[in-house]
């Protein structure tokens, strides 16, 4: 694909649209915009970075980009794990970091309206002040933006009970790739008015439009929570327990997470924290959160689920019922991806999702598959209650970037294939970006991809907006 | 003791010593005491308990005391909470001060509650402000309450002495005046009073040269906004350049970036430096409670709505990871220039 | 050995919200928990119990009826018994009256060898109740303890974290020990502990039960009086600058610091 470069004349025009302070052209200032958390091996420098302050500027930008045939890559906090925010063909990176206002918390309709650059945690806090609750909760809640959560249909720990971001978005304001304003959905809660462009836009990873505002659903908060931290001496017991606990007890957790001993050790070491209880004896942990209306209900739920865990081979069941204890264990779980990425230069964070009943099988067979490769460490953590296990591959052989990408694609391809056989899919919540394009094609086949290409063409005839993501252009 | 039990008069401060040297907090406390005694129109006395301390007592007079009560005995060389409290009780019952204040140090915060329990009077912890009520003559004690969210004004109407501990560094000592004259009263008690249940074994001095944050003049504090432990070194660098100490928010401590002894705030340490620079700290109420009495506060945070900006004198809405390196570089340049200028 | 741990239920601090107009706590937004600094005292007590056979730990608190939750949290960690001193006449107590009430309760419960407390509560922040109880019961107050070196045979050797270092002292028992955060890493209670805690009866005692004259309890028995509570004007109305250009911003900051004679 041939695109034009950003010339000094175009930079000048961008300065007129965005103002001098919102246009970056110095290499060292643009560097952070060249990659995301997928890793530096996927980095590509843009020609210019612009920071939008309003929708109007974005519309003008897209007109200019179409006219000059320059690619535009929208970007949030850069916490993505699939390379979706990497400007693969250079051109313009459009950051929404300055569009970070919560525009309205409408208590009558129980919705919040905000700009795309609002940090999800800030939204959670602001609505909590009004006694309301935003149920979307990606693990990167403290850094990722709400707009990007929508763009990737972010999941996170609470999906098991509350669903992914898609379940919480009622409306979007967008600028189309051709610079048109698009209003999708709204504060209303029902809609059967033609194809749902709203749902199409959610999870489209910035390839169909640029989100300029988001209307999210709010619910009343639950009263109290308790976390159970459950070490298992045997990896498979932990994996199997996850689905059987829910089946046999009918206790439905808000979150149910899996952490293998490798990831727990790596994270406690990285954070310089004392080991978790039973860290010397456990092969894996389950961590789950229960919600209840009062202390008595919580105690009963914890007792029921905890007893079931012990029957299924848990070493012990630790109960974090105070804020201090709860924060301690969740800090470890939340910091896991960062710890891995900081400790090893090459990490491919897996994102396969399978039906909950198949997670144990998936993990066991994954371990078999990876055995045949040398110099790679396999690690598991993730949302086992959703069947979404992040089976990550870690390079222990000092490969070059290129060697690693090739290796990881091949090995991860096998895991995706396995996932498909078990009724799963290649990405549960991180998206496809550029990291998982080939596995998506392999797992879906040509026809669905060609439909996606067709849709892309209708929205973006010149292939200007975030080209080269999810699938290749031709 | 109840007010009805006799005539209570005079303001007392509790002096502190270590290894026969009077600690500087003793002089800070005298500055508070002088102010109160003058307002109340009464005398200021300081009490000092120790061994081989008699000769040093004069310096308490030079810093504002009218009277110094000295108890000098080998049994007082080290802090034995029971013996110190027992002797203070003797002194209080004999001389009946109206007001008795101590520093909120580990010494003051240990011996004063024990003493207050023994003489049955109130004790207000960790005051930031002391004054005399013009109408009633009562001591007005002000301290942060409920995590520094509110200030409470507390009085001790019917019990004597009115006792409080005062946050260290909340007042500068008065200038030393060697011409000041005062009375030094050396008290002696029977040997059995010095027998303690607590025996001193050894003192292990901290190796670190940096001042503990409670005593630091300059503190550079870092929080979650610094993103990881590597970036936290910027805080150390800046603190070094300014000859200050390093502080941290609870999150930074919880992340294991720095030990707990550096935590500023409600569940950490309360600090009152001349300059407090916070980087990447949003300013939870608990944190603000621990640093709001700093003279000058500089805040760097990328959230313009961060609470820390409400309590700062100079706020920068920006990324600490961009600002700190530039600031460090500029300060280094200045240092080099200064060194060159001197040579 | 008989050990007692003094605990307090405090507002879960992240939830503390103030009404700016009235300067009072917004109670609706409040959740309560066991004072986080008490966890270290509980943990240390349980460690002593694990070391010395035949040790029994009683958790005691003065507070409203629902403070039994905080007591049960401590029991779940390994304590044996819970006692809650709860009575309307206890309310409004300052540290002296609180210590008086706790001491009366402890005297009623018999002799103890060791009393543990946290450094201070995260709400009142005085740290006075532990030493005050020690004085009332005529025990030495070993405060700011960061390590127990030895314990047994009627004696204890501790390290105290004081200014400039650590002081090592030996004391006879009984003694009161208040601990600092660096002493240990509190354990997370397990399910068995939780179930046991739920089943453990927490003894609730009133002023009459402990034989305390109500003139010595609560607000009436408190030597100190809060005469005014006000919302401090923390606001400094400082200069706020946009830091998008770090070079220029740092220049401004240095100028500011120079004006204040800080650099």
């Amino acid at each position: 694909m041939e695109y034009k470069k950003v010339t000094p004349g175009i930079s000048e025009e961008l300065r007129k649209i965005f103002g001098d302070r919102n246009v970056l052209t110095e290499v060292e200032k643009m560097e952070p915009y060249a990659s995301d958390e997928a890793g530096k091996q996927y980095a590509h420098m843009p020609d210019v970075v612009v920071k939008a302050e309003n929708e109007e500027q974005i519309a003008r930008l897209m007109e200019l980009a179409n006219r000059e045939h320059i690619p535009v890559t929208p970007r949030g906090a850069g916490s993505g794990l699939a390379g979706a925010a990497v400007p693969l063909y250079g051109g313009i990176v459009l950051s929404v970091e300055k569009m970070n206002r919560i525009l309205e918390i409408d208590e009558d309709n129980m919705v919040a309206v905000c700009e795309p650059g609002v940090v999800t945690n800030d939204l959670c806090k602001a609505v909590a002040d009004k006694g309301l609750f935003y149920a979307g909760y990606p693990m990167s809640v403290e850094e990722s933006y709400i707009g990007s959560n929508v763009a990737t249909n972010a999941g996170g720990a609470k999906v098991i009970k509350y669903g992914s971001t898609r379940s919480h978005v009622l409306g979007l304001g967008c600028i189309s790739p051709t610079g048109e304003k698009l209003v999708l959905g709204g504060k209303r809660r029902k809609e059967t008015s033609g194809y749902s462009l709203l749902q199409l836009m959610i999870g489209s990873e910035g390839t169909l439009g640029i989100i300029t505002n988001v209307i999210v659903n709010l619910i009343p908060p639950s009263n109290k929570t308790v976390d159970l931290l459950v070490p298992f001496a045997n990896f498979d017991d932990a994996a199997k327990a996850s689905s059987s606990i829910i089946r046999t007890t009918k206790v439905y957790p808000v979150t149910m997470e899996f952490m293998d001993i490798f990831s727990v050790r790596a994270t406690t070491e990285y954070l310089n924290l004392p080991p978790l209880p039973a860290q010397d004896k456990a092969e894996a942990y389950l961590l789950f959160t229960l919600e209840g209306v009062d202390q008595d209900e919580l105690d009963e739920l914890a007792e029921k689920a905890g007893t079931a865990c012990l029957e299924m081979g848990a070493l012990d069941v630790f109960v974090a019922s105070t804020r201090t204890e709860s924060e301690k264990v969740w800090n470890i779980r939340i910091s896991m991806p960062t710890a891995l990425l900081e400790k090893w230069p090459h990490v491919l964070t897996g994102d396969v999702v399978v039906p909950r009943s198949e997670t144990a099988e998936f993990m066991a067979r994954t371990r078999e598959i990876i055995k045949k490769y040398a110099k790679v460490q396999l690690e598991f953590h993730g949302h086992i209650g959703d069947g979404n296990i992040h089976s990550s591959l870690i390079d222990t052989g000092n490969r070059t970037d290129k060697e690693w990408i090739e290796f990881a694609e091949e090995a991860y391809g096998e895991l995706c294939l396995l996932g498909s056989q078990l009724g799963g899919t290649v990405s549960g919540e991180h998206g496809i970006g550029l990291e998982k394009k080939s596995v998506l094609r392999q797992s879906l086949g040509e026809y669905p991809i060609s439909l996606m290409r067709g849709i892309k063409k209708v929205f973006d005839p010149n292939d200007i907006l975030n080209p080269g993501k999810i699938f290749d252009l031709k | 003791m109840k007010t009805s039990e006799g005539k209570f008069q005079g303001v007392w401060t509790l002096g502190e010593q270590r290894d026969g040297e009077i600690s500087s907090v003793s002089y800070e406390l005298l500055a508070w005491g002088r102010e109160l005694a003058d307002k109340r129109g009464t005398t200021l006395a300081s009490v000092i308990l120790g061994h081989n301390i008699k000769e040093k007592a004069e310096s308490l007079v030079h810093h504002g005391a009218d009277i110094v009560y000295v108890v000098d005995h080998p049994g007082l060389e080290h802090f034995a909470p029971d013996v110190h409290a027992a002797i203070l009780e003797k002194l209080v019952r004999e001389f009946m001060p109206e007001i008795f204040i101590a520093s909120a140090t580990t010494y003051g915060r240990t011996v004063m509650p024990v003493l207050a329990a023994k003489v049955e009077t109130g004790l207000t912890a960790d005051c930031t402000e002391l004054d005399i009520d013009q109408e009633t003559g009562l001591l007005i004690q002000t301290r942060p309450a409920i995590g520094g969210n509110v200030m409470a004004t507390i009085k001790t109407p019917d019990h004597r002495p009115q006792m409080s501990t005062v946050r260290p560094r909340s007042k500068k000592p008065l200038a030393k005046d060697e011409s000041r004259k005062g009375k030094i009263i050396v008290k002696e008690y029977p040997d059995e009073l010095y027998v303690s249940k607590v025996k001193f074994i050894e003192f292990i001095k901290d190796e670190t040269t940096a001042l503990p944050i409670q005593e630091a003049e300059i503190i550079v504090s870092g929080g979650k906004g610094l993103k990881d432990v590597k970036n936290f070194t910027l805080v150390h660098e800046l603190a070094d350049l300014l000859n200050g100490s390093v502080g941290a928010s609870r999150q930074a401590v919880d992340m294991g970036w720095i030990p707990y002894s550096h935590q500023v705030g409600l569940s950490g340490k309360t600090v009152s430096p001349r300059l407090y620079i916070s980087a990447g700290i949003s300013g939870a109420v608990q944190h603000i409670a621990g640093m709001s009495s700093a003279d000058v506060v500089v805040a760097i945070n990328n959230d313009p709505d961060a609470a820390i900006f409400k309590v700062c004198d100079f706020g920068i809405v920006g990324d600490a990871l961009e600002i700190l390196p530039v600031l460090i570089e500029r300060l280094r340049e200045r240092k080099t220039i200064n060194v060159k200028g001197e040579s | 050995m008989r050990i007692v741990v003094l605990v307090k239920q405090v507002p879960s601090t992240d939830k503390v919200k103030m009404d700016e107009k009235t300067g009072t706590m917004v109670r609706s937004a409040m959740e309560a928990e066991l004072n986080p600094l008490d966890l270290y005292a509980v943990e240390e007590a349980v460690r002593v119990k694990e070391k010395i056979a035949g040790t029994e730990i009683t958790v005691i608190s003065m507070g409203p009826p629902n403070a039994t939750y905080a007591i049960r949290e401590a029991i779940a960690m390994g304590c044996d018994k819970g006692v809650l001193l709860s009575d309307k006449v206890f309310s409004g107590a300052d540290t002296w009256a609180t210590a008086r009430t706790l001491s009366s309760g402890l005297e009623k419960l018999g002799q103890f060898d060791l009393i543990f407390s946290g450094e201070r509560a995260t709400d009142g922040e005085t740290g006075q109740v532990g030493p005050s109880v020690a004085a009332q019961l005529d025990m030495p107050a070993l405060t700011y303890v960061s390590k127990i070196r030895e314990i047994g045979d009627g004696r204890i050797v501790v390290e105290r974290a004081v200014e400039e270092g650590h002081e090592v002292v030996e004391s006879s028992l009984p003694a009161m020990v208040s601990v600092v955060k660096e002493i240990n890493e509190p354990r997370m209670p397990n399910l068995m502990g939780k179930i046991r805690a739920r089943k453990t009866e927490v003894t609730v005692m009133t002023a009459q039960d402990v034989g305390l004259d109500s003139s010595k309890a609560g607000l009436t028995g408190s030597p100190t009086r809060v005469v005014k509570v006000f919302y401090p004007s923390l606001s400094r109305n400082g200069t706020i600058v946009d830091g998008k250009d770090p070079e220029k911003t740092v220049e401004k900051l240095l100028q500011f610091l120079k004006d204040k004679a800080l650099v």
Side-chain angles (χ1 to χ4, degrees):
Chain A
M1 181 61 58
E2 283 298 308
Y3 289 105
K4 295 219 180 89
K5 298 287 279 181
V6 176
T7 62
I10 292 170
S11 288
E12 205 38 55
E13 226 178 306
L14 290 171
R15 283 179 205 282
K16 273 188 198 132
I17 297 174
F18 293 96
D20 280 349
R21 64 207 168 97
N22 290 330
V23 178
L24 310 179
T25 48
E26 301 92 327
V27 172
E28 55 286 10
K29 286 193 177 163
M30 293 198 296
E31 192 113 34
Y33 296 86
S35 59
D36 64 7
E37 294 284 323
K40 291 266 186 271
Q41 66 269 30
Y42 295 104
H44 194 290
M45 280 297 280
D47 298 338
V48 59
V49 175
V50 297
K51 298 178 186 179
E53 288 177 336
N54 57 56
E55 191 181 54
E56 198 48 49
Q57 292 172 334
I58 299 176
R60 287 173 66 192
L61 169 70
M62 292 319 294
E63 281 166 30
L64 181 148
N66 275 285
R67 192 188 74 214
E68 299 290 341
H69 204 61
I70 296 170
V72 173
T73 306
R75 182 186 177 93
S79 58
L81 289 160
V86 174
L88 193 55
Y89 298 97
I92 302 164
V93 163
L94 165 66
S95 169
V96 296
E97 67 198 81
K98 289 193 170 175
M99 294 177 70
N100 59 3
R101 290 174 304 160
I102 296 171
L103 301 172
E104 186 191 1
I105 296 172
D106 176 345
E107 292 178 75
D108 288 331
N109 290 306
M110 285 174 69
V111 300
V113 186
C114 51
E115 292 186 322
V118 171
V119 173
T120 310
N121 212 26
D122 293 346
L123 174 67
C124 295
K125 277 192 203 153
V127 303
D129 283 349
K130 306 263 181 201
L132 293 166
F133 177 58
Y134 172 63
Y137 182 89
M139 299 308 281
S140 54
V141 65
E142 295 195 352
E143 37 174 346
S144 67
Y145 297 166
I146 188 74
S148 323
N149 293 170
V150 176
T152 55
N153 183 27
K158 291 183 180 171
V159 171
I160 179 172
K161 184 156 178 184
Y162 293 111
S164 56
T165 303
R166 192 182 294 286
S167 319
H168 314 301
V169 178
L170 297 176
L172 290 176
C174 303
I175 295 295
S176 80
T178 50
E180 305 285 336
K181 276 187 195 169
L182 200 51
V183 177
L184 307 174
K187 289 183 178 178
R188 55 190 183 263
R189 288 167 186 279
K190 279 186 166 180
E191 182 136 359
T192 48
S193 314
Y195 297 156
S196 175
L197 298 178
L198 173 68
Q199 293 303 332
L200 181 58
M201 192 62 72
I202 298 169
S204 65
E205 301 189 42
T207 62
L208 298 182
I210 297 153
I211 295 163
T212 53
N213 74 66
V214 183
I215 304 173
V216 295
N217 184 33
L218 304 175
I219 57 176
S222 72
N223 284 342
K224 280 180 168 287
T225 61
V226 65
D227 298 305
L228 303 189
L229 177 73
V230 191
F232 285 84
N234 180 286
F235 186 99
D236 290 324
D237 286 349
K240 283 177 189 145
S242 64
S243 61
S244 26
I245 290 162
I246 300 175
R247 191 186 67 233
T248 56
T249 64
K250 302 287 184 291
V251 173
Y252 205 60
V254 192
T255 68
M256 185 185 266
E257 298 288 309
F258 182 89
M259 307 185 282
D260 74 0
I261 192 65
F262 180 85
S263 51
V264 169
R265 277 208 193 108
T267 312
T268 49
E269 275 166 24
Y270 169 74
L271 294 175
N272 200 10
L273 292 176
L276 281 181
Q279 196 169 310
D280 52 337
K281 295 186 282 266
E283 277 189 2
Y285 289 85
L286 292 181
L287 168 60
F288 53 103
T289 306
L290 304 170
E291 272 181 357
V293 290
D294 59 24
Q295 193 64 46
D296 289 331
E297 186 191 353
L298 261 192
D299 286 345
E300 272 162 36
L301 291 175
E303 210 171 307
K304 222 172 175 183
T307 312
C309 288
L310 291 171
E311 282 163 9
M312 287 167 210
L315 285 165
D316 206 340
V317 174
F318 296 97
V319 187
S321 52
T322 68
R323 189 179 49 92
T324 319
E325 291 163 343
S326 175
E327 281 177 4
K328 214 179 267 178
V329 289
W330 277 99
N331 179 27
I332 290 172
R333 170 60 192 93
I334 287 171
S335 308
M336 222 155 246
T338 315
L340 299 174
L341 290 164
E342 289 287 330
K343 283 184 85 138
W344 289 275
H346 292 143
V347 178
L348 183 128
T349 312
D351 190 26
V352 171
V353 53
V354 295
R356 185 158 59 222
S357 57
E358 305 301 322
T359 46
E361 177 78 9
F362 174 72
M363 287 197 282
R365 284 170 63 182
T366 296
R367 293 164 94 190
E368 281 306 312
I369 290 171
I370 296 303
K371 264 186 195 161
K372 68 171 182 260
Y373 295 104
K375 291 173 183 164
V376 62
Q377 171 71 43
L378 178 65
E379 175 271 348
F380 295 97
H381 69 274
H383 319 297
I384 198 165
D386 312 325
N388 185 197
I389 288 292
H390 301 309
S391 44
S392 306
L393 303 176
I394 298 165
D395 177 18
T396 53
N398 284 322
R399 293 169 176 87
T400 64
D401 285 355
K402 195 163 162 284
E403 281 166 359
W404 172 250
I405 292 175
E406 278 169 14
F407 167 79
E409 265 186 19
E410 185 197 332
Y412 191 66
E414 284 193 64
L415 304 194
C416 291
L417 188 67
L418 168 65
S420 303
Q421 285 165 7
L422 296 172
T425 184
V426 302
S427 177
E429 57 180 8
H430 297 163
I432 301 302
L434 56 85
E435 197 185 45
K436 289 170 186 138
K437 276 192 291 191
S438 74
V439 294
L440 181 72
R441 203 187 61 236
Q442 287 165 32
S443 81
L444 289 187
E446 277 307 320
Y447 183 57
I449 297 283
S450 72
L451 289 179
M452 290 190 200
R453 278 203 192 103
I455 292 167
K456 168 76 173 164
K457 202 79 197 164
V458 173
F459 274 79
D460 188 7
N462 297 321
D463 267 329
I464 290 303
L465 190 61
N466 209 3
K469 304 297 164 55
I470 308 179
F471 42 79
D472 285 317
L473 296 171
K474 46 181 189 328
Chain B
M1 289 186 277
K2 291 275 197 165
T3 44
S4 52
E5 288 178 47
K7 189 168 162 48
F8 292 83
Q9 60 181 343
V11 175
W12 281 20
T13 67
L14 180 62
E16 288 191 32
Q17 58 90 27
R18 184 180 298 282
D19 299 333
E21 292 297 329
I22 291 174
S23 315
S24 60
V25 285
S26 313
Y27 306 130
E28 289 171 23
L29 203 58
L30 278 170
W32 274 115
R34 193 68 261 166
E35 204 176 289
L36 296 174
D38 291 347
K39 276 188 184 162
R40 187 75 181 115
T42 185
T43 54
L44 172 63
S46 197
V47 184
I48 186 98
L49 276 52
H51 182 48
N52 293 331
I53 198 78
K54 247 182 279 184
E55 291 71 28
K56 311 278 168 60
E58 199 74 38
S59 78
L60 292 165
V61 173
H62 298 157
H63 282 93
D66 302 314
I67 303 167
V68 181
Y69 296 99
V70 184
V71 186
D72 196 321
H73 188 278
L76 295 173
E77 187 176 354
H78 301 292
F79 173 49
D82 47 356
V83 170
H84 277 238
I87 289 179
L88 290 175
E89 184 184 0
K90 288 264 183 215
L91 287 166
V92 166
R93 290 197 186 274
E94 182 179 350
F95 297 100
M96 299 180 51
E98 191 180 25
I99 292 169
F100 192 4
I101 60 176
S103 284
T105 52
T106 58
Y107 176 62
R109 295 184 77 149
T110 303
V111 77
M112 291 296 264
V114 175
L115 175 64
K118 283 172 173 288
V119 300
E120 299 206 14
T121 187
L123 172 63
T124 306
D126 220 9
C127 295
T128 51
E129 194 64 48
L130 294 175
D131 203 354
I132 299 289
D133 186 332
Q134 292 302 333
E135 273 173 44
T136 59
L138 286 174
L139 177 66
I140 304 174
Q141 308 160 103
T142 303
R143 73 180 301 261
I146 325 170
N149 285 282
V150 294
M151 300 300 282
T153 303
I154 294 166
K155 288 182 184 169
T156 310
D158 307 318
H159 294 72
R160 292 294 175 271
Q162 304 162 74
M163 288 180 33
S164 35
T165 58
V166 188
R167 194 170 286 187
R169 310 196 68 82
S170 55
K171 216 173 207 32
K172 299 226 174 341
L174 301 171
K176 190 174 182 182
D177 176 0
E178 297 197 8
S179 65
R180 270 193 62 108
K181 293 278 175 284
K183 216 165 29 170
I184 302 212
I185 300 171
V186 180
K187 291 293 296 182
E188 281 173 20
Y189 295 101
D191 278 347
E192 59 263 29
L193 203 64
Y194 299 99
V195 179
S196 174
K197 292 172 185 162
V198 182
K199 195 174 86 195
F200 173 84
I201 295 178
E202 60 172 324
F203 187 78
I204 308 160
K205 209 169 158 44
D206 272 348
E207 292 304 320
T208 52
T209 48
L211 278 175
I213 51 174
Q214 306 97 291
E215 291 167 38
E217 295 257 323
I218 292 176
I219 294 173
V220 184
S221 254
K224 206 176 57 185
L226 295 173
K227 301 219 166 78
D228 67 43
V229 66
K230 277 185 297 179
N231 297 329
F232 206 83
T233 53
L234 292 171
V235 174
H236 289 279
E237 275 179 56
L238 183 57
D240 282 350
L241 276 169
L242 295 167
N243 293 323
S245 298
V246 175
S249 69
R250 186 172 68 88
Q251 283 95 338
V253 172
D254 285 351
M255 293 292 277
W257 296 348
I258 187 160
Y260 165 66
S261 56
H262 295 262
Q263 184 176 322
V264 173
L266 193 50
S267 49
K269 302 281 193 297
T270 302
V271 299
S272 45
R274 284 199 302 133
L275 171 62
Y276 187 87
I277 300 180
S278 89
I281 293 177
S282 59
V285 287
Q286 296 77 17
H287 186 80
I288 289 174
M291 48 63 75
S292 58
S293 57
D295 288 351
V296 174
V297 177
V298 172
I300 308 167
N301 198 293
N302 50 17
D303 175 8
D305 297 325
I308 192 88
F309 288 127
K310 287 191 193 129
V311 297
C312 76
D313 301 284
F314 192 90
I316 298 173
V317 182
D319 189 345
L321 298 180
E322 287 180 12
I323 306 289
L324 290 182
V326 179
L327 179 57
I328 289 167
E329 200 182 319
R330 290 288 162 279
L331 287 168
R332 265 206 193 113
E333 284 165 12
R334 293 167 77 109
K335 231 178 187 169
T336 337
I337 291 166
N338 283 346
V339 171
K340 276 184 192 151
E342 278 162 20
S343 62
Chain C
M1 187 173 290
R2 291 191 81 203
I3 297 180
V4 90
V5 189
L6 311 176
V7 301
K8 184 179 186 186
Q9 176 165 286
V10 298
S12 195
T13 47
D14 271 358
K15 303 274 167 69
V16 175
K17 287 231 166 57
M18 298 305 299
D19 183 324
E20 301 223 7
K21 282 180 210 119
T22 62
T24 54
M25 249 194 291
V26 181
R27 294 271 168 182
S28 59
M30 231 176 66
E31 270 183 47
E33 64 177 3
L34 174 58
N35 172 31
L37 294 173
D38 290 347
L39 294 173
Y40 300 87
V42 174
E43 174 67 31
E44 203 57 26
V46 174
R47 289 187 187 189
V48 171
K49 178 181 154 179
E50 285 166 351
K51 219 156 89 182
I52 299 176
T55 298
E56 183 192 71
I57 308 171
T58 304
V59 187
I60 190 167
S61 185
M62 185 191 91
N66 71 6
T68 48
Y69 286 120
I71 291 174
R72 288 215 162 87
E73 182 68 20
I75 294 174
M77 287 172 72
C79 299
D80 300 292
K81 289 180 174 173
V83 177
L84 176 65
L85 305 174
S86 195
D87 193 320
K88 281 203 183 89
V89 305
F90 295 156
S91 72
D94 70 359
T95 56
W96 189 91
T98 304
R100 187 82 200 83
T101 304
L102 287 167
S103 308
S104 306
L106 292 176
E107 275 168 347
K108 201 84 194 167
L109 294 168
Q111 297 277 315
F112 291 94
D113 303 295
L114 254 183
I115 299 178
F116 278 106
S117 82
E119 186 185 336
R120 59 203 145 90
T122 54
D123 58 348
E125 279 225 287
T126 70
Q128 290 181 173
V129 171
S132 189
V133 166
Q136 309 242 15
L137 298 177
D138 201 26
M139 293 183 189
L142 310 175
T143 51
Y144 304 95
V145 169
S146 59
K147 188 178 180 180
I148 296 182
R149 278 194 181 179
E150 291 169 44
I151 181 159
D153 301 328
R155 57 189 274 281
I156 186 169
V157 180
V158 299
E159 293 181 14
R160 299 179 61 232
V162 299
E163 292 81 3
E164 291 165 40
H166 289 78
E167 185 190 80
V168 186
V169 295
E170 177 182 330
S171 171
S172 59
L173 294 180
M176 193 286 306
V177 171
S178 77
V179 304
V180 293
K181 223 174 169 179
E182 62 181 274
I183 194 167
N184 59 40
E185 183 66 29
R187 73 193 61 196
M188 205 180 287
N190 68 5
L191 187 67
M192 286 306 131
K194 279 276 177 189
I195 292 173
R196 194 172 51 78
R198 261 188 99 190
K199 288 183 184 153
T200 306
E201 185 81 27
V202 173
T203 312
V204 180
M205 295 171 96
T206 61
Q208 204 183 353
D209 295 335
V210 300
L212 182 66
D213 181 348
S214 63
S215 71
K216 297 272 181 195
L219 188 62
T220 326
S222 296
T224 62
R225 284 282 178 282
V226 177
V227 291
K228 193 172 85 179
V229 172
F230 60 101
Y231 202 81
S233 89
L234 288 173
S235 176
R236 297 180 182 226
N237 288 321
T239 317
I240 308 289
V241 301
D242 183 350
K244 293 206 172 85
D245 183 336
E247 304 280 342
K248 275 187 199 151
T249 314
V250 166
E251 275 318 306
K252 280 186 210 159
L253 171 60
L254 287 171
Q255 191 55 49
F256 169 84
L257 294 175
K258 218 196 275 174
D259 293 346
K260 298 263 176 191
L262 287 162
V263 288

